[in-house]
Amino acid sequence: MIRRYWNINLEEMLEAGVHFGHGTRKWNPRMGPYISVKCKGIHITNLTKTTCFLSEVCDLVFDAARRRKQFLIVARAAIKAHCHFVNKKWLGGILTNWSTIETRLQKQLSHLQTYLGGIKYMTGLPDIVIIVNQQEEYTAL
């Protein structure tokens, strides 16, 4: 039996405004079954259905975490949980074409490691710079 560590509260969901959906002009027809009513130009989401689905998602996430599955989540939460995240631009194919993306990322990481690996942990400008070959490292000089 799964022990639940969360409590989904309808009142808190109402206070947080979870029920407010998109404007009635900007909606996807597939969301129809989950919309309770239209009010002042926006859709109001059915919180009873939302609660059921949210409970299922919590079960799924808890079970996946228990089995040590890997997650892709929001950056701040991901950093706290030591999980993967994307916080700038989603690359097309990142999930559907992972082998190609992984190869490209490995090449870029290797390139960055070659050129910038020595300053990976530098938090500010150094107090002293030692240049071994002045002719070869003219740019640094």
Side-chain angles (χ1 to χ4, degrees), residues 89-98 101 104:
K89 183 181 178 189
W90 186 265
L91 300 175
I94 204 164
L95 297 177
T96 57
N97 197 10
W98 174 246
I101 297 290
R104 288 184 184 157

Side-chain angles (χ1 to χ4, degrees), residues 109-127:
L109 287 172
S110 175
H111 181 77
L112 288 172
Q113 179 61 32
T114 300
Y115 288 95
L116 302 173
I119 61 169
K120 184 177 183 177
Y121 301 107
M122 191 167 89
T123 59
L125 292 175
D127 297 313

Side-chain angles (χ1 to χ4, degrees), residues 12-80:
E12 289 177 1
M13 290 174 74
L14 276 169
E15 287 175 22
V18 173
H19 58 294
F20 294 119
H22 287 288
T24 53
R25 293 182 182 173
K26 299 179 181 179
W27 73 295
N28 187 324
R30 289 183 288 184
M31 291 301 293
Y34 312 107
I35 296 171
S36 291
V37 70
K38 297 174 188 177
C39 180
K40 296 182 182 176
I42 63 166
H43 286 123
I44 305 298
T45 306
N46 182 327
L47 285 184
T48 305
K49 288 184 180 181
T50 302
T51 308
C52 291
F53 288 126
L54 191 55
S55 179
E56 285 182 35
V57 168
C58 289
D59 288 341
L60 179 89
V61 168
F62 180 80
D63 185 53
R66 188 178 49 78
R67 292 185 288 131
R68 305 225 185 263
K69 297 290 184 177
Q70 294 192 25
F71 291 81
L72 177 70
I73 55 178
V74 177
R76 191 178 320 155
I79 291 166
K80 278 184 171 179

